[in-house]
Amino acid sequence: QNACATGKGLLGLEHAAVKEVVGLHVFFQEWFNGELPDTDEAFARFNDSFAEDFQMVVPSGNTVLFSGLKQSLRAAHGRDKTRGGIRIWIENAAARKISPGAYMVQSQEWQQLVGAEKKGRISTAIFREKPSEGRDAGLEWVGVHETWLPGPENEHHRGSRPALMQIQWELGRVQSVAALCSMPRDQKQRTSER
């Protein structure tokens, strides 16, 4: 692990955000490999970390809502066990505060099935401080945007969108997620009703 992935040199909630990214991907690896029991208690590590209004843009450009992600992840318990297992790790994580109560972590996520090429993606995760109504203090995942890293191992995943256009679209998405993240909940509901 490098210093960024461990959160060394970061303060407070920035450190907590990097630690959460690394910790959740440890959970993913253990879940996909069937190393964790398929129980509500084990799955709570994922379930309790996300805001109900969480959204994720996957490298293909599709948007996945929390309910869909939760359902597909729960069904994927042990999926890679029969293939020899998967290794998932985070590199080059960097966190920063983007607005009061909101934090962004950019990192590289790598995955490798036993005997296969590793696949990498750039991930931008948005967190906000959890509401204090009966929940533990800390952060909750609000949004993620992922893009395939350049390289021959990812060629079969990439679409035909020109690189400059893709970067501009990604920057717009990060800004809109950051704005949504920092909105009070009642204002977000009014915005989504329009």
Side-chain angles (χ1 to χ4, degrees):
Q1 288 183 338
N2 59 32
C4 273
T6 60
K8 291 179 182 172
L10 299 173
L11 300 173
L13 290 176
E14 288 94 341
H15 173 81
V18 169
K19 188 175 175 183
E20 172 61 17
V21 168
V22 173
L24 187 70
H25 286 81
V26 169
F27 165 82
F28 288 152
Q29 177 178 296
E30 293 173 349
W31 186 260
F32 294 146
N33 289 333
E35 297 167 6
L36 295 171
D38 189 2
T39 63
D40 291 342
E41 292 77 23
F43 195 69
R45 168 62 182 96
F46 168 81
N47 204 38
D48 295 346
S49 301
F50 286 76
E52 287 296 322
D53 57 349
F54 172 84
Q55 292 185 22
M56 177 178 184
V57 178
V58 295
S60 66
N62 295 323
T63 299
V64 179
L65 302 179
F66 177 64
S67 59
L69 181 61
K70 181 169 68 171
Q71 182 179 8
S72 64
L73 185 63
R74 186 67 193 249
H77 179 266
R79 74 165 190 208
D80 296 318
K81 186 175 185 176
T82 59
R83 297 189 281 182
I86 189 168
R87 182 173 166 243
I88 302 173
W89 69 99
I90 300 296
E91 293 181 359
N92 302 317
R96 67 184 177 99
K97 187 173 187 173
I98 55 175
S99 66
Y103 300 84
M104 180 173 70
V105 176
Q106 291 181 310
S107 62
Q108 293 176 356
E109 176 191 333
W110 293 92
Q111 298 183 11
Q112 186 174 27
L113 286 164
V114 171
E117 292 286 327
K118 67 180 182 179
K119 297 175 187 167
R121 59 187 81 187
I122 296 172
S123 178
T124 302
I126 306 294
F127 296 90
R128 70 172 164 233
E129 291 182 53
K130 287 183 181 180
S132 59
E133 308 120 21
R135 293 182 75 182
D136 295 334
L139 298 170
E140 61 185 358
W141 294 74
V142 177
V144 170
H145 187 270
E146 296 180 329
T147 303
W148 293 118
L149 280 166
E153 65 276 4
N154 291 325
E155 284 302 319
H156 63 284
H157 292 294
R158 266 196 279 292
S160 60
R161 188 182 319 176
L164 180 60
M165 184 181 188
Q166 186 169 350
I167 290 168
Q168 290 172 338
W169 181 82
E170 289 164 13
L171 289 174
R173 174 68 182 155
V174 169
Q175 291 168 350
S176 66
V177 169
L180 180 65
C181 176
S182 60
M183 274 186 206
R185 288 182 187 266
D186 63 327
Q187 185 179 353
K188 275 191 280 196
Q189 288 173 340
R190 287 194 305 269
T191 302
S192 66
E193 291 169 0
R194 293 182 197 161

